[in-house]
Amino acid sequence: MGFLSASTSFTRYMPNGDVTKELWAEVPDRLRQHAFVEIEETADERSFGWVCFDDYLDSAWRTAPSEKAHYFAWSLRLDTRRIPPAVLKKHTELAIRQYKASIEDEDKKFVSKAKKKEIRENVVLRLRARTPPIPAVFEVVWDTRSQAVLFGSTNAKARALFEDLFTLTFELELEPQTPFYLASRLKGEDAVSRLENLEPTTFSAG
């Protein structure tokens, strides 16, 4: 469910700091500097980076630019390889047995903990190379007038990844626009202590 759908879930942010004219002009280049890198032909566990809003397979913005009227729009793509634990356990056990079978001296068939770890790491690399990465895409919209940033997810892990990469790309921290933050901004610092002492009200009989 993206921003072009009838309904969607998103997190709203404001940058902590001024967005200069120079930074607005650099947005396309900075997105390319932190663009997604494909891992289809590698054994890497995961990869993430920015891609084109109109086509998540385009990390060079050949399909369409990131500028959309007074907005910038792009997506965060995250590819992850997941090996089921039962599959990893089975192949590790098979590899250990093959290793033991390759040793002719019966007195040296003991497999140390370090050797088991080495065998397991080799199995992980072999299985990763055979496991296609699973892509996930989260849309991003940045309003150049209000400076508000919308991220198309409320998942905590996805938000943390987005916030870190946004800061790395634009050198700006993001402040989530929670009800507490909005209320304190509207009412001023004098209201912060009163807001912190608010208690929830139950409107239905328990």
Side-chain angles (χ1 to χ4, degrees):
M1 301 294 286
F3 289 126
L4 301 182
S5 304
S7 63
T8 187
S9 298
F10 62 89
T11 304
R12 184 179 175 186
Y13 296 90
M14 288 294 288
N16 274 339
D18 294 330
V19 182
T20 63
K21 290 182 180 178
E22 290 77 15
L23 179 55
W24 287 129
E26 294 172 3
V27 168
D29 286 340
R30 291 192 181 218
L31 289 174
R32 289 188 181 89
Q33 289 171 13
H34 297 275
F36 174 82
V37 177
E38 190 65 68
I39 57 171
E40 196 73 39
E41 303 300 326
T42 74
D44 292 348
E45 185 175 12
R46 76 169 189 167
S47 177
F48 58 87
W50 308 127
V51 293
C52 178
F53 182 90
D54 303 73
D55 180 3
Y56 76 93
L57 298 178
D58 180 4
S59 57
W61 280 267
R62 296 187 181 91
T63 307
S66 54
E67 301 96 323
K68 315 282 186 189
H70 63 277
Y71 298 94
F72 281 101
W74 69 94
S75 297
L76 168 63
R77 177 173 166 186
L78 167 64
D79 278 24
T80 309
R81 283 189 167 91
R82 297 189 183 93
I83 303 171
V87 173
L88 176 58
K89 182 179 180 181
K90 170 191 166 185
H91 284 266
T92 301
E93 182 60 33
L94 286 172
I96 290 173
R97 291 186 186 187
Q98 288 174 356
Y99 173 74
K100 286 182 177 178
S102 68
I103 301 173
E104 295 180 358
D105 189 342
E106 290 294 327
D107 295 333
K108 297 182 178 179
K109 285 186 179 292
F110 173 76
V111 183
S112 67
K113 187 176 180 179
K115 186 62 182 178
K116 286 181 179 177
K117 181 181 178 183
E118 178 187 334
I119 291 173
R120 186 181 185 279
E121 290 173 349
N122 289 333
V123 169
V124 167
L125 289 176
R126 192 168 69 243
L127 290 177
R128 275 189 197 156
R130 293 161 47 186
T131 305
I134 301 171
V137 180
F138 309 95
E139 294 175 343
V140 183
V141 173
W142 195 358
D143 187 340
T144 61
R145 292 179 178 171
S146 68
Q147 301 193 6
V149 179
L150 305 183
F151 176 60
S153 177
T154 56
N155 178 275
K157 290 183 178 178
R159 285 193 290 110
L161 178 64
F162 166 69
E163 292 165 14
D164 289 345
L165 186 56
F166 187 96
T167 299
L168 179 66
T169 304
F170 301 110
E171 300 174 43
L172 287 171
E173 299 280 345
L174 287 175
E175 183 70 43
Q177 299 299 284
T178 61
F180 179 89
Y181 181 86
L182 289 171
S184 60
R185 195 178 67 171
L186 291 172
K187 294 296 184 181
E189 293 186 3
D190 294 342
V192 171
S193 60
R194 284 181 285 149
L195 291 168
E196 289 175 341
N197 292 325
L198 287 176
E199 295 182 358
T201 299
T202 303
F203 293 100
S204 60

